[in-house]
Amino acid sequence: MIARAPAPHPVITFIVRRLIATVFLLIVVSMVTFSIFFLLPRLAGQTTYGLAAQYVGRSPTPAAVHAIERQLGLDVPLPVQYGRFLKGIVFGRHFDSGTSKAYCPPPCFGYSFKNQQPVWPMMISSVPVTVSLAIGAAILWLVGGVSIGVLSALRRGTLFDRFSMGVALAGVSLPIFFTGLIALALFSYRWPIFPNVQFVPFTQNPLLWAKNLILPWVTLAFLYAALYARLTRAGMLETMNEDYIRTARAKGLPERTVIVKHGLRAALTPIVTIFGLDIGLLLGGAVITEVTFSLHGLGQFTILAIDSQDLPEIMGVTMLAAFFIVFANLVVDILYAYVDPRVRS
Amino acid sequence: MGVTAFGAVAALALAACSSSTSTTSGGPTPATGFNAGITHVMNPSSQKGGTLNFASSSGIPDSTDPGNTYYAQMWNLSRLYAMPLMTYKSCPGKCGGQVVPMLATAPGVISDNGLTWTYHIQPNVHFEDGTLVTSSDVKYAVERTFDRGKFPLGPGYFPALLAPQKPAYPGPYKDRSKNLMGLKAVETPNPTTIVFHLAKPFADFNYVVAIPQTAPVPPNKDTGANYQLHPISTGPYMFQSYQINKQLTMVPNPHWNPATDPNAKQLPSKIVLTFNVNPNDVDNRLLAGDIQVDLPGTGVQAAARTKILTTPSLKAQSDNPVSGFSWFFGLNTRVPPLTNIHCRMAIEYAANKTNNQTAYGGPFAGGAIASTVAPPNVVGSVAASGKKFDLYEATTKPQGDLTKAKQQLQQCGQPNGFSTGITYRSDRPKEVSAAQAMQASLARVGIKLTLHGFPTATYTSNFAGVPKYVHSHDLGIIVYGWAPDWPDGYGEFYYIVHGAAISPVGNTNLEELNDPKVNSLLDKFATTTDAALRNSYTAQIDMQVMRDAAILPNVFAKALLYRSPKLTNVYVQSYYGMYNYAVLGLK
């Protein structure tokens, strides 16, 4: 009798399948991004000479433009440039700094046209700022938004409900660059409780890290908490009118159990999905919040890359943002796979 | 590059009008009030200590490598860590535009044929690691500028001016000669002498070696493209830590000797520069005293400007110098019908100069209406002389003279006007407003403008600076601005009006002017060693360009700077048009 290997757990199969799809998706994203920034301008008539001229100082000679064309690797065909880009991500690349050949280990996202430095270390040094901002704000808005949403739903029509939903409407409506500037004007300059906001690494001083991030957290969380409060309220109102809630009550379950175990659990399912997407998007760069509070995160890195038309930096940050979004979706899907067996098929 | 300054006459007059206790001669009476920092050293002190905080609403505009930078703010800042052969004298008023020795012991000695310049360097200047600076280190710094692939952002004067060799010198990283000293046009006969051999005479060479590119670089400490992360200092401060576009921290250089560097001071115990701070936040921090200097030196934003100008105590702490930039409209002489001078003159007359000035922010943030091209900081310019040359009534009829515009249109053969395009940098609100203002004012005489906005990053490399593109898209008017690399007529005019400066990509002679009279004056300028004679050409060039109606001047730019009360030794250095960063201290 031949012993057959045990079938892999369906969740593991699901995860492997999704990981393979994720890699494929990221390759597609890289191709699309590369095409947008390198191929399309070429098709529209831009020459590599014209592209190189963007990265030379004032009144350049043709020799100077050709030199930078070679230095930036723009003088080789586009498929070769793309191949080098992919190779760098997988195997790393060497860059000529002049005095030495510097190795850029994988994942090497190329060499900044403007700063003449490998993109990955510059980009990754911005990640702690964005992660600190996104995670802190997420905790605030998740706790605050969901709690307010639940309470509003349970006290529908009361003053609390109307007031909190009014505030929530304001939160959704007011842009961060407005609430952020108001927060700075009040709490940084009028009453300098949080003066001179700047990022301090958690490892350097946890207290200062938190103190400097409170205003950005609250500002960012205000927008999202408002959204989550309204979503939670709507979900709870819908769920609490379901037949099974009536049944649970009829069976004599305590109201607390009915609300938390049966009502909130069902209402939270769509919230989890949206939360995953929001976190993924924010990790890719909370652009407006970072710019408003002068935080050197991925969002600000992106703005600078676009401002200076630094194509490798734009490519790198697009790929990283795509990775965060795909990864966050992957986590949400895996969580779903655990709680809902239908998803695994 | 934004080399800047203020016009001596204008600035002195301004100071005289507004400064409460100062005298225009800068006497011993302490000055106070609005614009006092233009002509006086404010809060003079030798007190040491404290952390001097700079902030900038952008990143480093190009590089902290002295060999790879072309911005006024960086040239100003670099004096804290780099000593080029020459520099600009640290002093307020007109004196701040004077080129003086820094690492060199004296200005260059020129040979009889004008082809050789010799400098002697100070024998007792050290790098931050204690190594003695020699002339070879200066030569090596010049050699680096030949590698345009590694250092594309700085000026290209040395490859253009020095005597060529065959094969062409490739820069030190491909140099196979002994000790990497293969550039034959620069000789170092001994450790304190450096000799430059030029391809042809160039009388402004002292200005060229005042560019930070001559700051010495020790070959064994050069890290190529990474040198920007830690340039080896010869100035009063050295890099402690630097994260590109985030933060730079400098601390005192223990091997700096004040006796060798009278144009800089070593007062604060630390200097911190924070980049990419929200522009309004920069102003708020400046007014709150959290930072002391706004690095770019281009003035506060609209909100802070209003606050400063309407609050007497804040206004008294501010200065409004001419920055050295001139904003103008290039009228392309090769795009029909602007090939006809009368069509260009029609534009000169019809433009509403007041509206153009408003587009740039009005008299405080925009600047003074200009009737000539060179700003008042340029030695020998019409504006600096106090004389007036106003061919198209820019200052006497700033709303425009429609009657004369129509007469010019008749002579041009376009009595009902014509159509052409106007380009501007779409991410610069002032230029967008200026283009729209021109569109409205020229429509009054039937000249129809179509707006063409392009991003700053590709403006001259792909659009407005590509003559082929300009011709094929009928772009007759180009919004632009200019500040000279050094404050004389050659620095001001060569790249924007000399026929030889027209280039197929990255062109800055946006008018494509190729007037033999202008070319000849500039060529004579380059070879005339008599400074007075040389500078007399400046006004002639300016007037000829205006007679050609190739440029419609807009404003001589100004900036409203807030002078933090915490600063000592603070004043506007005319060459940079901003506070002199090399001498600042803290109370």
Side-chain angles (χ1 to χ4, degrees):
Chain A
M1 191 175 167
I2 300 167
R4 296 183 65 183
H9 192 282
V11 172
I12 293 174
T13 312
F14 172 79
I15 291 173
V16 171
R17 211 168 59 224
R18 287 305 306 269
L19 280 174
I20 293 169
T22 299
V23 171
F24 178 74
L25 189 65
L26 286 174
I27 291 174
V28 172
V29 168
S30 77
M31 290 174 79
V32 171
T33 316
F34 189 87
S35 301
I36 289 172
F37 293 111
F38 287 85
L39 179 62
L40 288 184
R42 193 76 66 88
L43 294 176
Q46 187 188 48
T47 60
T48 52
Y49 185 87
L51 180 59
Q54 294 176 35
Y55 309 103
V56 191
R58 200 163 88 166
S59 312
T61 61
V65 179
H66 285 307
I68 196 69
E69 205 177 350
R70 286 190 297 276
Q71 170 72 18
L72 302 180
L74 300 171
D75 56 337
V76 297
L78 279 178
V80 177
Q81 289 182 44
Y82 180 68
R84 285 180 180 173
F85 176 71
L86 277 191
K87 185 188 163 202
I89 294 175
V90 181
F91 301 110
R93 286 170 72 180
H94 282 89
F95 292 109
D96 180 9
S97 70
T99 49
S100 64
K101 292 266 184 191
Y103 179 60
C104 172
C108 181
F109 280 82
Y111 196 72
S112 160
F113 285 175
K114 179 171 177 285
N115 298 311
Q116 301 224 6
Q117 293 292 306
V119 170
W120 177 255
M122 287 196 296
M123 194 165 65
I124 213 68
S125 70
S126 303
V127 169
V129 180
T130 302
V131 168
S132 300
L133 177 64
I135 301 295
I139 292 170
L140 281 183
W141 90 59
L142 202 58
V143 172
V146 170
S147 306
I148 290 169
V150 169
L151 288 173
S152 283
L154 297 178
R155 298 176 186 181
R156 186 182 183 187
T158 62
L159 189 63
F160 173 83
D161 178 30
R162 286 176 187 170
F163 177 74
S164 56
M165 284 306 106
V167 173
L169 186 65
V172 174
S173 312
L174 295 173
I176 290 174
F177 58 79
F178 176 78
T179 49
L181 288 179
I182 294 288
L184 277 173
L186 291 178
F187 303 111
S188 198
Y189 300 112
R190 181 72 181 83
W191 300 292
I193 304 166
F194 305 104
N196 213 6
V197 172
Q198 55 185 314
F199 181 75
V200 177
F202 181 83
T203 49
Q204 190 178 314
N205 188 330
L207 276 180
L208 274 181
W209 169 80
K211 188 184 174 190
N212 278 281
L213 282 170
I214 283 176
L215 280 187
W217 281 341
V218 171
T219 306
L220 186 57
F222 184 50
L223 173 73
Y224 283 92
L227 194 68
Y228 278 60
R230 292 183 74 84
L231 282 172
T232 308
R233 180 180 181 274
M236 280 295 285
L237 285 176
E238 192 181 335
T239 309
M240 295 306 283
N241 285 326
E242 293 286 341
D243 289 346
Y244 70 89
I245 296 289
R246 194 168 59 225
T247 307
R249 282 182 174 141
K251 282 166 72 177
L253 288 177
E255 186 63 13
R256 185 189 176 92
T257 310
V258 172
I259 292 169
V260 176
K261 282 199 169 178
H262 298 280
L264 184 58
R265 192 170 181 177
L268 276 184
T269 312
I271 298 286
V272 170
T273 311
I274 294 169
F275 183 70
L277 281 171
D278 285 341
I279 279 288
L281 279 170
L282 278 184
L283 288 176
V287 177
I288 298 173
T289 313
E290 288 177 13
V291 170
T292 303
F293 289 97
S294 313
L295 298 170
H296 297 137
L298 278 175
Q300 204 173 63
F301 183 87
T302 309
I303 294 287
L304 277 175
I306 293 168
D307 268 359
S308 55
Q309 298 275 302
D310 198 327
L311 301 187
E313 286 190 359
I314 295 172
M315 286 280 294
V317 81
T318 306
M319 292 289 293
L320 191 64
F323 170 78
F324 280 133
I325 291 167
V326 171
F327 183 74
N329 273 292
L330 179 66
V331 170
V332 169
D333 286 348
I334 290 169
L335 288 176
Y336 266 36
Y338 266 108
V339 296
D340 188 349
R342 290 171 301 176
V343 177
R344 295 170 211 161
S345 60
Chain B
M1 124 85 190
V3 181
T4 64
F6 66 91
V9 174
L12 291 173
L14 260 177
C17 293
S18 55
S19 182
S20 60
T21 60
S22 65
T23 60
T24 50
S25 59
T29 311
T32 57
F34 184 54
N35 277 335
I38 293 177
T39 47
H40 290 77
V41 179
M42 305 300 290
N43 306 327
S45 167
S46 56
Q47 186 177 325
K48 291 199 166 200
T51 298
L52 176 61
N53 287 290
F54 287 72
S56 171
S57 59
S58 63
I60 284 280
D62 43 24
S63 175
T64 45
D65 187 330
N68 197 29
T69 178
Y70 216 145
Y71 276 78
Q73 56 178 294
M74 297 309 298
W75 288 14
N76 188 358
L77 183 76
S78 71
R79 297 209 299 181
L80 289 167
Y81 57 86
M83 286 179 71
L85 287 174
M86 303 285 285
T87 191
Y88 292 86
K89 192 169 183 179
S90 283
C91 50
K94 190 179 178 181
C95 143
Q98 188 184 334
V99 67
V100 293
M102 194 176 199
L103 180 62
T105 56
V109 177
I110 185 170
S111 65
D112 289 343
N113 62 4
L115 290 173
T116 301
W117 287 76
T118 303
Y119 294 86
H120 298 285
I121 69 169
Q122 299 187 67
N124 52 348
V125 175
H126 296 83
F127 288 110
E128 65 182 64
D129 60 0
T131 315
L132 188 69
V133 171
T134 68
S135 53
S136 296
D137 301 317
V138 179
K139 177 178 177 179
Y140 183 74
V142 173
E143 288 186 334
R144 291 170 92 238
T145 68
F146 279 70
D147 192 330
R148 301 295 282 163
K150 295 288 178 301
F151 308 108
L153 302 173
Y157 287 111
F158 289 114
L161 293 174
L162 292 178
Q165 64 190 62
K166 286 189 178 175
Y169 182 68
Y173 310 127
K174 293 171 187 158
D175 188 352
R176 298 287 172 266
S177 59
K178 189 183 175 188
N179 298 327
L180 305 173
M181 292 285 137
L183 179 60
K184 292 174 185 162
V186 180
E187 291 179 314
T188 51
N190 61 56
T192 57
T193 305
I194 185 163
V195 183
F196 294 87
H197 298 286
L198 309 191
K200 55 185 181 181
F202 192 70
D204 273 353
F205 200 68
N206 275 327
Y207 285 117
V208 175
V209 299
I211 292 171
Q213 288 177 322
T214 60
V217 175
N220 60 345
K221 295 284 172 65
D222 182 19
T223 49
N226 293 328
Y227 192 70
Q228 60 176 318
L229 301 175
H230 192 130
I232 307 301
S233 174
T234 42
Y237 289 86
M238 59 186 191
F239 282 30
Q240 184 185 52
S241 62
Y242 177 39
Q243 279 188 295
I244 291 176
N245 288 333
K246 292 180 181 174
Q247 199 165 64
L248 166 63
T249 303
M250 290 191 279
V251 291
N253 172 7
H255 294 282
W256 177 76
N257 178 358
T260 63
D261 192 1
N263 290 293
K265 293 182 189 295
Q266 191 184 60
L267 299 177
S269 51
K270 188 186 269 191
I271 297 177
V272 178
L273 298 96
T274 307
F275 301 102
N276 289 303
V277 178
N278 181 308
N280 287 305
D281 207 18
V282 170
D283 295 343
N284 286 329
R285 290 183 192 200
L286 192 60
L287 293 171
D290 295 336
I291 62 165
Q292 292 80 45
V293 189
D294 175 19
L295 177 67
T298 49
V300 296
Q301 305 296 308
R305 192 160 62 238
T306 306
K307 189 174 178 181
I308 289 170
L309 293 175
T310 55
T311 311
S313 59
L314 294 178
K315 189 175 178 184
Q317 281 297 132
S318 64
D319 298 300
N320 191 212
V322 173
S323 74
F325 261 93
S326 45
W327 301 115
F328 59 80
F329 301 91
L331 308 181
N332 191 294
T333 56
R334 298 196 188 168
V335 173
L338 300 189
T339 43
N340 185 319
I341 190 172
H342 295 291
C343 277
R344 302 199 297 272
M345 287 180 170
I347 293 174
E348 298 268 4
Y349 279 118
N352 186 324
K353 287 84 181 176
T354 305
N355 287 356
N356 290 342
Q357 181 193 38
T358 305
Y360 275 93
F364 284 108
I369 292 176
S371 61
T372 47
V373 180
N377 68 303
V378 172
V379 182
S381 66
V382 179
S385 70
K387 295 174 186 167
K388 206 156 198 176
F389 184 77
D390 192 356
L391 212 51
Y392 306 106
E393 303 165 333
T395 54
T396 52
K397 288 187 178 173
Q399 311 291 328
D401 188 333
L402 304 187
T403 308
K404 286 190 176 169
K406 285 174 183 165
Q407 287 168 359
Q408 293 297 331
L409 283 174
Q410 288 279 358
Q411 291 185 56
C412 168
Q414 304 277 350
N416 299 316
F418 54 86
S419 297
T420 191
I422 181 168
T423 72
Y424 53 93
R425 286 170 275 209
S426 52
D427 46 6
R428 294 191 178 189
K430 290 178 179 178
E431 292 195 4
V432 177
S433 301
Q436 289 168 343
M438 279 291 278
Q439 190 182 40
S441 60
L442 297 195
R444 298 180 298 176
V445 293
I447 300 173
K448 298 178 191 69
L449 297 186
T450 49
L451 304 179
H452 298 259
F454 304 108
T456 297
T458 52
Y459 192 62
T460 54
S461 61
N462 291 34
F463 303 107
V466 181
K468 199 174 161 188
Y469 184 91
V470 169
H471 300 166
S472 63
H473 289 77
D474 288 328
L475 304 175
I477 305 179
I478 294 164
V479 183
Y480 203 53
W482 187 257
D485 288 351
W486 54 85
D488 77 3
Y490 194 90
E492 169 67 22
F493 283 110
Y494 178 81
Y495 278 113
I496 58 172
V497 295
H498 197 296
I502 300 170
S503 64
V505 168
N507 179 36
T508 47
N509 181 347
L510 299 169
E511 313 78 45
E512 296 183 62
L513 182 67
N514 195 8
D515 179 345
K517 286 182 195 164
V518 171
N519 296 348
S520 164
L521 282 166
L522 277 164
D523 293 341
K524 276 201 292 182
F525 201 118
T527 54
T528 304
T529 50
D530 180 335
L533 179 59
R534 191 167 72 229
N535 290 327
S536 72
Y537 298 145
T538 303
Q540 295 178 49
I541 297 166
D542 206 339
M543 289 191 281
Q544 184 57 39
V545 171
M546 290 311 298
R547 286 191 192 101
D548 288 336
I551 286 179
L552 165 59
N554 188 349
V555 290
F556 295 137
K558 280 185 167 191
L560 185 66
L561 307 175
Y562 181 69
R563 190 189 333 118
S564 172
K566 294 188 176 181
L567 290 174
T568 61
N569 307 315
V570 56
Y571 58 86
V572 174
Q573 169 101 33
S574 68
Y575 172 66
Y576 302 111
M578 60 185 83
Y579 296 126
N580 180 3
Y581 299 157
V583 296
L584 295 174
L586 293 162
K587 281 183 182 171

